[in-house]
Amino acid sequence: MSQPLPTNQPSLGLARLRLPAATAGLLIFSPVMIAAGAFITIAMRPFTSTIAKREGDAIAMAWFGLVLLCLGVVFLTVGLAAVSVRSMLQRQTDLLLHASAPSNDPA
């Protein structure tokens, strides 16, 4: 059976910082948005390259593709920044827990 820790010693259990669930969504949807935006923008290029060839909704579709591409890049940047900040905070938390733990060395 396991022995309970004395009340005067802090537990060194795993103190894991968690990411918000929205961060996973950002990282999952960003490649899809980048790919779709790039495809739409490149596919509409022949219809918007010259003034004489501009047809109907090609300009609107090209803008939509560009906005989708930019949103995908922003989502990817925000997701990576959130993961990086969590990683730095986790490292600092681990260091603080290790520093505050009582040492068992008989020095």
Coordinates of all heavy atoms in Angstrom, one line a residue:
M1 N 0.8 -1.2 0.0 CA 0.0 0.0 0.0 C 0.9 1.2 0.0 O 2.0 1.2 0.4 CB -0.9 0.0 1.2 CG -1.9 -1.2 1.2 SD -3.1 -1.0 2.3 CE -4.4 -0.2 1.8
S2 N 0.3 2.3 -0.4 CA 1.1 3.5 -0.5 C 1.0 4.3 0.8 O 0.0 4.3 1.4 CB 0.6 4.4 -1.7 OG -0.7 4.8 -1.4
Q3 N 2.1 4.9 1.1 CA 2.2 5.7 2.3 C 1.8 7.2 2.0 O 2.3 7.7 1.0 CB 3.6 5.7 2.9 CG 4.1 4.3 3.3 CD 3.3 3.9 4.6 OE1 2.9 4.7 5.4 NE2 3.2 2.6 4.7
P4 N 0.9 7.8 2.7 CA 0.6 9.2 2.4 C 1.8 10.1 2.8 O 2.6 9.8 3.7 CB -0.6 9.5 3.3 CG -0.5 8.5 4.4 CD 0.1 7.3 3.8
L5 N 1.9 11.2 2.1 CA 3.0 12.1 2.4 C 2.7 12.9 3.6 O 1.6 13.2 4.0 CB 3.1 13.1 1.2 CG 3.7 12.6 -0.1 CD1 3.6 13.7 -1.2 CD2 5.2 12.2 0.1
P6 N 3.7 13.2 4.4 CA 3.5 14.0 5.6 C 3.0 15.4 5.2 O 3.3 15.9 4.0 CB 4.9 14.2 6.2 CG 5.7 13.1 5.6 CD 5.1 12.7 4.3
T7 N 2.3 16.1 6.1 CA 1.7 17.3 5.7 C 2.6 18.5 5.5 O 2.3 19.5 4.9 CB 0.6 17.7 6.8 OG1 1.3 17.8 8.0 CG2 -0.5 16.7 6.8
N8 N 3.9 18.4 6.1 CA 4.8 19.5 6.0 C 5.7 19.4 4.7 O 6.5 20.3 4.5 CB 5.7 19.5 7.2 CG 6.5 18.3 7.4 OD1 6.3 17.3 6.7 ND2 7.3 18.3 8.4
Q9 N 5.6 18.3 4.0 CA 6.4 18.2 2.7 C 5.4 18.4 1.5 O 4.4 17.8 1.4 CB 7.0 16.8 2.6 CG 8.1 16.6 3.6 CD 8.7 15.2 3.3 OE1 8.2 14.4 2.7 NE2 9.9 15.0 3.9
P10 N 5.9 19.3 0.6 CA 5.1 19.5 -0.6 C 5.2 18.3 -1.5 O 6.2 17.6 -1.6 CB 5.7 20.7 -1.2 CG 7.1 20.7 -0.8 CD 7.1 20.1 0.6
S11 N 4.1 18.0 -2.2 CA 4.1 16.9 -3.2 C 4.8 17.4 -4.5 O 4.6 18.5 -4.9 CB 2.7 16.4 -3.4 OG 2.0 17.4 -4.1
L12 N 5.6 16.5 -5.0 CA 6.2 16.8 -6.3 C 5.5 16.1 -7.4 O 6.2 15.6 -8.3 CB 7.7 16.4 -6.2 CG 8.6 17.3 -5.3 CD1 10.0 16.8 -5.3 CD2 8.5 18.7 -5.8
G13 N 4.2 16.1 -7.4 CA 3.5 15.4 -8.5 C 3.7 16.2 -9.8 O 4.2 17.3 -9.8
L14 N 3.2 15.6 -10.8 CA 3.3 16.2 -12.1 C 2.4 17.4 -12.2 O 1.2 17.3 -12.2 CB 3.0 15.2 -13.2 CG 3.9 14.0 -13.3 CD1 3.4 13.1 -14.4 CD2 5.3 14.5 -13.6
A15 N 3.0 18.6 -12.2 CA 2.2 19.8 -12.4 C 2.3 20.2 -13.8 O 3.3 20.9 -14.3 CB 2.8 20.9 -11.5
R16 N 1.4 19.7 -14.6 CA 1.4 19.9 -16.1 C 0.5 21.0 -16.4 O -0.7 21.0 -16.0 CB 1.0 18.7 -16.8 CG 1.8 17.4 -16.5 CD 3.3 17.5 -16.8 NE 3.6 17.9 -18.1 CZ 4.8 18.2 -18.6 NH1 5.8 18.2 -17.7 NH2 5.0 18.5 -19.8
L17 N 1.0 22.0 -17.2 CA 0.1 23.1 -17.7 C -0.5 22.6 -18.9 O 0.1 22.0 -19.8 CB 1.0 24.3 -18.0 CG 1.7 24.9 -16.8 CD1 2.6 26.0 -17.2 CD2 0.7 25.4 -15.8
R18 N -1.8 22.9 -19.1 CA -2.5 22.4 -20.2 C -2.8 23.6 -21.2 O -3.0 24.7 -20.8 CB -3.9 21.8 -19.8 CG -3.7 20.5 -19.0 CD -5.0 19.9 -18.6 NE -5.8 19.8 -19.7 CZ -6.3 18.6 -20.2 NH1 -6.0 17.6 -19.5 NH2 -7.1 18.6 -21.2
L19 N -2.9 23.2 -22.4 CA -3.2 24.2 -23.5 C -4.8 24.3 -23.6 O -5.5 23.3 -23.3 CB -2.7 23.8 -24.8 CG -1.3 24.1 -25.1 CD1 -0.9 23.5 -26.5 CD2 -1.0 25.6 -25.1
P20 N -5.3 25.5 -23.9 CA -6.7 25.6 -24.1 C -7.1 24.7 -25.4 O -6.3 24.5 -26.3 CB -6.9 27.1 -24.5 CG -5.7 27.8 -23.9 CD -4.6 26.8 -23.9
A21 N -8.3 24.2 -25.4 CA -8.7 23.4 -26.5 C -8.7 24.1 -27.8 O -8.6 23.5 -28.9 CB -10.1 22.8 -26.2
A22 N -8.9 25.4 -27.7 CA -9.0 26.2 -29.0 C -7.6 26.2 -29.7 O -7.5 26.3 -30.9 CB -9.3 27.7 -28.7
T23 N -6.5 26.0 -29.0 CA -5.2 26.0 -29.6 C -5.1 24.7 -30.5 O -4.5 24.8 -31.6 CB -4.1 25.9 -28.5 OG1 -4.3 27.0 -27.6 CG2 -2.7 26.0 -29.1
A24 N -5.6 23.6 -30.1 CA -5.6 22.4 -31.0 C -6.4 22.7 -32.2 O -6.0 22.3 -33.3 CB -6.2 21.2 -30.2
G25 N -7.5 23.4 -32.1 CA -8.3 23.7 -33.2 C -7.6 24.7 -34.2 O -7.7 24.5 -35.4
L26 N -6.9 25.6 -33.6 CA -6.1 26.5 -34.5 C -5.0 25.8 -35.3 O -4.9 26.0 -36.5 CB -5.4 27.6 -33.6 CG -6.3 28.7 -33.0 CD1 -5.4 29.5 -32.1 CD2 -6.9 29.5 -34.0
L27 N -4.4 24.8 -34.6 CA -3.3 24.1 -35.3 C -3.8 23.1 -36.2 O -3.1 22.7 -37.2 CB -2.4 23.4 -34.2 CG -1.6 24.4 -33.4 CD1 -0.8 23.6 -32.3 CD2 -0.6 25.2 -34.2
I28 N -5.0 22.6 -36.0 CA -5.6 21.6 -37.0 C -6.2 22.3 -38.2 O -6.0 21.9 -39.3 CB -6.7 20.8 -36.3 CG1 -6.1 19.8 -35.2 CG2 -7.6 20.0 -37.3 CD1 -7.1 19.2 -34.3
F29 N -6.9 23.4 -38.0 CA -7.5 24.1 -39.1 C -6.6 25.0 -40.0 O -6.9 25.3 -41.1 CB -8.7 24.9 -38.7 CG -9.9 24.1 -38.2 CD1 -10.4 24.2 -36.9 CD2 -10.5 23.2 -39.1 CE1 -11.4 23.4 -36.5 CE2 -11.5 22.4 -38.7 CZ -12.0 22.5 -37.4
S30 N -5.5 25.4 -39.4 CA -4.6 26.3 -40.1 C -4.0 25.7 -41.4 O -4.1 26.4 -42.5 CB -3.5 26.8 -39.2 OG -2.6 25.8 -38.8
P31 N -3.5 24.5 -41.4 CA -3.1 23.9 -42.7 C -4.2 23.8 -43.8 O -3.9 24.0 -45.0 CB -2.5 22.6 -42.4 CG -2.3 22.6 -40.9 CD -3.2 23.5 -40.4
V32 N -5.4 23.5 -43.3 CA -6.5 23.3 -44.2 C -6.8 24.7 -44.8 O -7.0 24.8 -46.1 CB -7.7 22.7 -43.5 CG1 -9.0 22.7 -44.4 CG2 -7.4 21.4 -43.0
M33 N -6.8 25.7 -44.0 CA -7.2 27.1 -44.5 C -6.1 27.6 -45.4 O -6.4 28.2 -46.4 CB -7.4 28.0 -43.3 CG -8.6 27.7 -42.5 SD -8.8 28.7 -41.0 CE -9.1 30.3 -41.8
I34 N -4.8 27.3 -45.1 CA -3.7 27.7 -45.9 C -3.8 27.0 -47.3 O -3.7 27.7 -48.4 CB -2.3 27.5 -45.3 CG1 -2.2 28.4 -44.1 CG2 -1.2 27.6 -46.2 CD1 -0.9 28.1 -43.2
A35 N -4.0 25.8 -47.3 CA -4.1 25.0 -48.6 C -5.3 25.5 -49.4 O -5.2 25.7 -50.6 CB -4.2 23.5 -48.3
A36 N -6.5 25.6 -48.8 CA -7.7 26.0 -49.5 C -7.5 27.5 -50.0 O -7.8 27.8 -51.2 CB -8.9 25.9 -48.6
G37 N -7.0 28.4 -49.2 CA -6.8 29.7 -49.7 C -5.8 29.9 -50.8 O -6.0 30.6 -51.7
A38 N -4.7 29.1 -50.7 CA -3.7 29.1 -51.8 C -4.3 28.6 -53.1 O -4.1 29.1 -54.2 CB -2.4 28.3 -51.4
F39 N -5.0 27.5 -52.9 CA -5.6 26.9 -54.1 C -6.6 27.8 -54.8 O -6.6 28.0 -56.0 CB -6.3 25.6 -53.8 CG -7.0 24.9 -54.9 CD1 -6.3 24.3 -55.9 CD2 -8.4 25.0 -55.1 CE1 -6.9 23.7 -57.0 CE2 -9.1 24.5 -56.1 CZ -8.3 23.8 -57.1
I40 N -7.5 28.4 -54.0 CA -8.5 29.4 -54.6 C -7.8 30.6 -55.2 O -8.1 31.0 -56.3 CB -9.5 29.8 -53.5 CG1 -10.3 28.6 -53.1 CG2 -10.4 30.9 -54.0 CD1 -11.2 28.9 -51.9
T41 N -6.8 31.1 -54.5 CA -6.1 32.3 -55.1 C -5.4 32.0 -56.4 O -5.5 32.7 -57.3 CB -5.1 32.8 -54.0 OG1 -5.8 33.1 -52.8 CG2 -4.4 34.1 -54.5
I42 N -4.7 30.8 -56.4 CA -4.0 30.5 -57.6 C -4.9 30.1 -58.7 O -4.7 30.4 -59.9 CB -3.0 29.3 -57.3 CG1 -1.9 29.9 -56.4 CG2 -2.4 28.8 -58.6 CD1 -0.9 28.8 -55.9
A43 N -6.0 29.4 -58.4 CA -7.0 29.0 -59.4 C -7.7 30.2 -60.1 O -8.1 30.2 -61.3 CB -8.0 28.1 -58.8
M44 N -7.9 31.3 -59.3 CA -8.6 32.5 -59.9 C -7.6 33.4 -60.6 O -8.0 34.4 -61.2 CB -9.3 33.2 -58.7 CG -10.5 32.5 -58.2 SD -11.7 32.2 -59.4 CE -11.9 30.5 -59.4
R45 N -6.3 33.2 -60.5 CA -5.3 34.1 -61.1 C -5.6 34.3 -62.6 O -5.5 35.4 -63.1 CB -3.9 33.6 -60.8 CG -2.9 34.6 -61.3 CD -1.5 34.2 -60.9 NE -0.5 35.1 -61.5 CZ 0.1 34.9 -62.6 NH1 -0.1 33.8 -63.3 NH2 1.0 35.7 -63.1
P46 N -5.8 33.2 -63.4 CA -6.0 33.4 -64.8 C -7.2 34.3 -65.2 O -7.2 35.0 -66.2 CB -6.2 32.0 -65.4 CG -5.6 31.1 -64.4 CD -5.8 31.8 -63.1
F47 N -8.2 34.3 -64.3 CA -9.4 35.1 -64.6 C -9.3 36.5 -64.1 O -10.1 37.4 -64.5 CB -10.6 34.5 -63.9 CG -10.9 33.1 -64.3 CD1 -10.6 32.0 -63.4 CD2 -11.3 32.8 -65.6 CE1 -10.9 30.7 -63.8 CE2 -11.6 31.5 -66.0 CZ -11.3 30.4 -65.1
T48 N -8.2 36.9 -63.4 CA -8.1 38.2 -62.9 C -6.8 38.9 -63.4 O -6.5 40.0 -62.9 CB -8.0 38.2 -61.3 OG1 -6.9 37.4 -60.9 CG2 -9.3 37.7 -60.8
S49 N -6.0 38.3 -64.3 CA -4.7 38.8 -64.6 C -4.8 40.0 -65.6 O -4.0 40.9 -65.5 CB -3.8 37.7 -65.3 OG -4.5 37.2 -66.4
T50 N -5.8 40.0 -66.5 CA -5.9 41.2 -67.4 C -7.3 41.8 -67.2 O -8.2 41.2 -66.8 CB -5.7 40.8 -68.8 OG1 -6.7 39.8 -69.2 CG2 -4.3 40.2 -69.1
I51 N -7.3 43.1 -67.6 CA -8.6 43.8 -67.4 C -9.7 43.2 -68.4 O -10.8 43.1 -68.0 CB -8.4 45.3 -67.7 CG1 -7.5 45.9 -66.6 CG2 -9.7 46.1 -67.7 CD1 -7.1 47.3 -66.8
A52 N -9.3 42.8 -69.6 CA -10.3 42.4 -70.5 C -10.8 41.0 -70.1 O -12.0 40.7 -70.5 CB -9.6 42.2 -71.9
K53 N -10.1 40.2 -69.3 CA -10.6 38.9 -69.0 C -11.3 38.8 -67.7 O -11.7 37.7 -67.3 CB -9.4 37.9 -68.9 CG -8.8 37.5 -70.2 CD -7.8 36.5 -70.0 CE -7.5 35.7 -71.2 NZ -6.6 34.6 -71.0
R54 N -11.5 39.9 -67.0 CA -12.2 39.8 -65.7 C -13.6 39.3 -65.9 O -14.4 39.9 -66.6 CB -12.1 41.1 -65.0 CG -10.8 41.5 -64.5 CD -10.8 42.8 -63.7 NE -9.4 43.1 -63.3 CZ -9.1 44.2 -62.7 NH1 -10.0 45.1 -62.4 NH2 -7.8 44.4 -62.4
E55 N -13.9 38.2 -65.2 CA -15.2 37.6 -65.4 C -15.9 37.5 -64.0 O -15.4 36.9 -63.1 CB -15.1 36.2 -66.0 CG -14.5 36.2 -67.3 CD -14.3 34.8 -67.9 OE1 -14.8 33.9 -67.2 OE2 -13.6 34.7 -68.9
G56 N -17.1 38.1 -63.9 CA -18.0 37.9 -62.8 C -17.4 37.9 -61.5 O -16.9 38.9 -61.0
D57 N -17.5 36.8 -60.8 CA -17.1 36.7 -59.4 C -15.6 36.3 -59.2 O -15.3 35.9 -58.1 CB -18.0 35.7 -58.6 CG -19.4 36.2 -58.6 OD1 -19.6 37.4 -58.6 OD2 -20.3 35.4 -58.5
A58 N -14.8 36.3 -60.2 CA -13.5 35.9 -60.1 C -12.7 36.8 -59.1 O -11.9 36.3 -58.4 CB -12.8 35.8 -61.5
I59 N -12.9 38.1 -59.2 CA -12.2 39.0 -58.3 C -12.6 38.7 -56.8 O -11.8 38.6 -55.9 CB -12.5 40.4 -58.6 CG1 -12.1 40.7 -60.0 CG2 -11.9 41.4 -57.6 CD1 -10.6 40.7 -60.2
A60 N -13.9 38.5 -56.6 CA -14.4 38.2 -55.2 C -13.8 36.9 -54.7 O -13.4 36.7 -53.6 CB -15.9 38.1 -55.2
M61 N -13.7 35.9 -55.6 CA -13.2 34.6 -55.2 C -11.7 34.7 -54.9 O -11.2 34.1 -54.0 CB -13.4 33.5 -56.3 CG -14.8 33.0 -56.3 SD -15.3 32.2 -54.8 CE -14.3 30.7 -54.9
A62 N -11.0 35.5 -55.7 CA -9.5 35.7 -55.5 C -9.3 36.4 -54.1 O -8.4 36.0 -53.3 CB -8.9 36.5 -56.6
W63 N -10.2 37.4 -53.8 CA -10.1 38.0 -52.5 C -10.4 37.1 -51.4 O -9.8 37.1 -50.3 CB -11.0 39.3 -52.4 CG -10.3 40.5 -53.0 CD1 -10.6 41.1 -54.2 CD2 -9.3 41.2 -52.4 NE1 -9.8 42.1 -54.3 CE2 -9.0 42.3 -53.3 CE3 -8.6 41.1 -51.2 CZ2 -8.0 43.2 -53.0 CZ3 -7.6 42.0 -50.9 CH2 -7.3 43.1 -51.8
F64 N -11.4 36.2 -51.6 CA -11.8 35.2 -50.6 C -10.6 34.3 -50.3 O -10.3 33.9 -49.2 CB -13.0 34.5 -51.0 CG -13.4 33.4 -50.1 CD1 -14.0 33.7 -48.8 CD2 -13.3 32.1 -50.4 CE1 -14.3 32.6 -47.9 CE2 -13.6 31.0 -49.6 CZ -14.1 31.3 -48.3
G65 N -10.0 33.8 -51.4 CA -8.8 32.9 -51.2 C -7.7 33.6 -50.5 O -7.0 33.0 -49.7
L66 N -7.5 34.9 -50.8 CA -6.4 35.6 -50.1 C -6.7 35.8 -48.6 O -5.8 35.6 -47.8 CB -6.2 37.0 -50.8 CG -5.0 37.8 -50.3 CD1 -3.7 37.0 -50.6 CD2 -5.0 39.1 -51.0
V67 N -7.9 36.1 -48.3 CA -8.3 36.3 -46.9 C -8.2 34.9 -46.2 O -7.7 34.8 -45.1 CB -9.7 36.8 -46.8 CG1 -10.3 36.7 -45.4 CG2 -9.7 38.3 -47.3
L68 N -8.6 33.8 -46.8 CA -8.5 32.5 -46.2 C -7.0 32.1 -46.0 O -6.7 31.6 -44.9 CB -9.2 31.5 -47.1 CG -9.6 30.2 -46.5 CD1 -10.6 30.4 -45.4 CD2 -10.2 29.3 -47.6
L69 N -6.2 32.4 -47.0 CA -4.8 32.2 -46.8 C -4.2 32.9 -45.7 O -3.4 32.4 -44.8 CB -4.1 32.5 -48.1 CG -2.5 32.3 -48.2 CD1 -2.2 30.9 -48.1 CD2 -2.0 32.9 -49.5
C70 N -4.5 34.2 -45.6 CA -4.0 35.0 -44.5 C -4.5 34.6 -43.1 O -3.7 34.6 -42.1 CB -4.3 36.5 -44.7 SG -3.4 37.2 -46.1
L71 N -5.7 34.2 -43.0 CA -6.3 33.7 -41.8 C -5.6 32.4 -41.4 O -5.3 32.2 -40.2 CB -7.8 33.5 -41.9 CG -8.7 34.7 -41.6 CD1 -10.1 34.4 -41.9 CD2 -8.5 35.2 -40.3
G72 N -5.3 31.6 -42.3 CA -4.6 30.3 -42.0 C -3.2 30.6 -41.5 O -2.8 30.0 -40.5
V73 N -2.5 31.6 -42.0 CA -1.2 31.9 -41.5 C -1.3 32.5 -40.1 O -0.5 32.2 -39.2 CB -0.5 32.9 -42.5 CG1 0.8 33.5 -41.9 CG2 -0.2 32.2 -43.8
V74 N -2.3 33.4 -39.9 CA -2.5 34.0 -38.6 C -2.8 32.9 -37.5 O -2.3 32.9 -36.4 CB -3.6 35.0 -38.6 CG1 -4.0 35.4 -37.2 CG2 -3.1 36.3 -39.4
F75 N -3.7 31.9 -37.9 CA -4.0 30.8 -37.0 C -2.8 30.0 -36.6 O -2.6 29.6 -35.5 CB -5.1 29.9 -37.6 CG -6.5 30.5 -37.5 CD1 -6.8 31.8 -37.1 CD2 -7.6 29.7 -37.8 CE1 -8.1 32.3 -37.0 CE2 -8.9 30.1 -37.7 CZ -9.1 31.4 -37.3
L76 N -2.0 29.7 -37.6 CA -0.8 28.9 -37.4 C 0.2 29.7 -36.5 O 0.7 29.1 -35.5 CB -0.1 28.6 -38.7 CG 1.2 27.7 -38.6 CD1 0.8 26.4 -38.1 CD2 1.8 27.6 -40.0
T77 N 0.3 31.0 -36.7 CA 1.2 31.8 -35.9 C 0.8 31.8 -34.4 O 1.5 31.7 -33.5 CB 1.4 33.2 -36.5 OG1 1.8 33.1 -37.8 CG2 2.4 34.0 -35.7
V78 N -0.5 32.1 -34.3 CA -1.1 32.1 -32.9 C -1.0 30.8 -32.2 O -0.6 30.7 -31.0 CB -2.5 32.6 -32.9 CG1 -3.2 32.5 -31.6 CG2 -2.6 34.1 -33.4
G79 N -1.3 29.7 -32.9 CA -1.2 28.4 -32.3 C 0.3 28.0 -31.9 O 0.5 27.5 -30.8
L80 N 1.2 28.4 -32.8 CA 2.6 28.1 -32.4 C 3.1 29.0 -31.3 O 3.9 28.5 -30.4 CB 3.5 28.3 -33.6 CG 3.4 27.2 -34.7 CD1 4.2 27.6 -35.9 CD2 3.7 25.8 -34.2
A81 N 2.6 30.2 -31.2 CA 3.0 31.1 -30.1 C 2.4 30.6 -28.8 O 3.1 30.6 -27.8 CB 2.5 32.5 -30.4
A82 N 1.2 30.1 -28.8 CA 0.6 29.6 -27.6 C 1.3 28.3 -27.1 O 1.6 28.2 -25.9 CB -0.9 29.2 -27.8
V83 N 1.7 27.4 -28.0 CA 2.5 26.2 -27.6 C 3.8 26.6 -27.1 O 4.3 26.1 -26.1 CB 2.6 25.3 -28.9 CG1 3.6 24.2 -28.6 CG2 1.3 24.7 -29.2
S84 N 4.5 27.6 -27.7 CA 5.8 28.1 -27.2 C 5.7 28.7 -25.8 O 6.5 28.4 -24.9 CB 6.4 29.1 -28.2 OG 6.5 28.5 -29.4
V85 N 4.7 29.5 -25.6 CA 4.5 30.1 -24.3 C 4.2 29.1 -23.2 O 4.8 29.1 -22.1 CB 3.4 31.2 -24.3 CG1 3.0 31.6 -22.9 CG2 3.9 32.4 -25.1
R86 N 3.4 28.1 -23.5 CA 3.1 27.0 -22.6 C 4.4 26.2 -22.3 O 4.6 25.8 -21.1 CB 2.0 26.1 -23.1 CG 1.6 25.1 -22.0 CD 1.2 23.7 -22.5 NE 2.3 23.0 -23.1 CZ 3.2 22.2 -22.5 NH1 3.1 22.1 -21.2 NH2 4.1 21.6 -23.1
S87 N 5.2 26.0 -23.3 CA 6.4 25.2 -23.1 C 7.4 26.0 -22.1 O 8.0 25.4 -21.2 CB 7.1 25.0 -24.4 OG 8.3 24.3 -24.2
M88 N 7.5 27.3 -22.3 CA 8.4 28.1 -21.5 C 7.8 28.2 -20.0 O 8.6 28.0 -19.1 CB 8.5 29.5 -22.0 CG 9.3 29.6 -23.3 SD 9.6 31.3 -23.8 CE 8.0 31.8 -24.4
L89 N 6.5 28.3 -19.9 CA 5.9 28.3 -18.6 C 6.0 27.0 -17.9 O 6.3 26.9 -16.7 CB 4.4 28.7 -18.7 CG 4.2 30.2 -19.0 CD1 2.7 30.4 -19.2 CD2 4.7 31.1 -17.9
Q90 N 5.9 25.9 -18.6 CA 6.1 24.6 -18.0 C 7.5 24.4 -17.5 O 7.7 23.8 -16.5 CB 5.8 23.5 -19.1 CG 5.9 22.1 -18.5 CD 4.9 21.8 -17.4 OE1 3.7 22.1 -17.6 NE2 5.3 21.4 -16.2
R91 N 8.5 24.9 -18.3 CA 9.9 24.7 -17.9 C 10.1 25.5 -16.6 O 10.8 25.1 -15.7 CB 10.8 25.2 -19.0 CG 12.2 25.2 -18.7 CD 12.8 23.9 -18.7 NE 14.2 23.9 -18.4 CZ 14.9 23.0 -17.8 NH1 14.3 21.9 -17.3 NH2 16.2 23.2 -17.6
Q92 N 9.6 26.7 -16.5 CA 9.7 27.6 -15.3 C 9.0 26.9 -14.1 O 9.6 26.9 -13.0 CB 9.2 29.0 -15.6 CG 10.0 29.8 -16.6 CD 11.4 30.0 -16.1 OE1 11.6 30.3 -14.9 NE2 12.3 29.9 -16.9
T93 N 7.9 26.3 -14.4 CA 7.2 25.7 -13.3 C 8.0 24.5 -12.8 O 8.1 24.3 -11.6 CB 5.8 25.2 -13.8 OG1 5.1 26.3 -14.3 CG2 5.0 24.5 -12.7
D94 N 8.6 23.7 -13.7 CA 9.4 22.6 -13.3 C 10.6 23.0 -12.5 O 10.9 22.4 -11.5 CB 9.8 21.8 -14.5 CG 8.7 21.0 -15.2 OD1 7.6 20.9 -14.5 OD2 8.9 20.6 -16.3
L95 N 11.2 24.1 -12.9 CA 12.4 24.6 -12.2 C 12.0 25.1 -10.8 O 12.7 24.9 -9.8 CB 13.1 25.7 -13.0 CG 13.8 25.3 -14.2 CD1 14.3 26.5 -15.0 CD2 15.0 24.4 -13.8
L96 N 10.9 25.8 -10.7 CA 10.4 26.3 -9.4 C 10.0 25.2 -8.4 O 10.3 25.2 -7.3 CB 9.3 27.3 -9.5 CG 9.6 28.6 -10.1 CD1 8.4 29.4 -10.4 CD2 10.5 29.4 -9.2
L97 N 9.4 24.1 -9.0 CA 9.0 23.0 -8.1 C 10.3 22.3 -7.7 O 10.4 21.8 -6.5 CB 8.1 22.0 -8.9 CG 6.7 22.5 -9.0 CD1 5.9 21.5 -9.9 CD2 6.0 22.5 -7.7
H98 N 11.3 22.1 -8.5 CA 12.5 21.5 -8.2 C 13.3 22.3 -7.1 O 13.9 21.7 -6.2 CB 13.4 21.2 -9.4 CG 14.6 20.4 -9.1 ND1 15.8 20.9 -8.8 CD2 14.7 19.0 -9.2 CE1 16.6 20.0 -8.6 NE2 16.0 18.8 -8.8
A99 N 13.3 23.6 -7.3 CA 14.0 24.5 -6.3 C 13.3 24.5 -5.0 O 14.0 24.6 -3.9 CB 14.1 25.9 -6.9
S100 N 12.0 24.4 -4.9 CA 11.3 24.5 -3.6 C 11.2 23.1 -2.9 O 10.8 23.1 -1.8 CB 9.9 25.0 -3.9 OG 9.1 24.1 -4.6
A101 N 11.6 22.1 -3.6 CA 11.6 20.7 -3.0 C 12.7 20.6 -2.0 O 13.8 21.0 -2.2 CB 11.7 19.6 -4.0
P102 N 12.4 20.0 -0.8 CA 13.4 19.8 0.2 C 14.4 18.8 -0.3 O 14.0 17.7 -0.8 CB 12.6 19.4 1.4 CG 11.4 18.8 0.9 CD 11.1 19.6 -0.3
S103 N 15.6 19.0 -0.1 CA 16.6 18.0 -0.5 C 16.8 17.0 0.6 O 16.7 17.3 1.8 CB 18.0 18.7 -0.8 OG 18.5 19.3 0.4
N104 N 17.1 15.8 0.2 CA 17.3 14.7 1.1 C 18.8 14.4 1.3 O 19.2 13.4 1.9 CB 16.6 13.4 0.6 CG 15.1 13.6 0.6 OD1 14.6 14.3 1.4 ND2 14.5 12.9 -0.3
D105 N 19.7 15.3 0.8 CA 21.1 15.0 1.0 C 21.5 15.4 2.4 O 21.2 16.5 2.9 CB 21.9 15.9 0.0 CG 21.6 15.5 -1.4 OD1 21.3 14.4 -1.7 OD2 21.8 16.4 -2.3
P106 N 22.3 14.5 3.1 CA 22.7 14.8 4.5 C 24.0 15.7 4.5 O 25.0 15.3 5.0 CB 23.0 13.4 5.0 CG 23.4 12.6 3.9 CD 22.6 13.1 2.7
A107 N 24.0 16.8 3.9 CA 25.2 17.7 3.8 C 25.3 18.6 4.9 O 24.8 19.0 5.8 CB 25.2 18.5 2.5

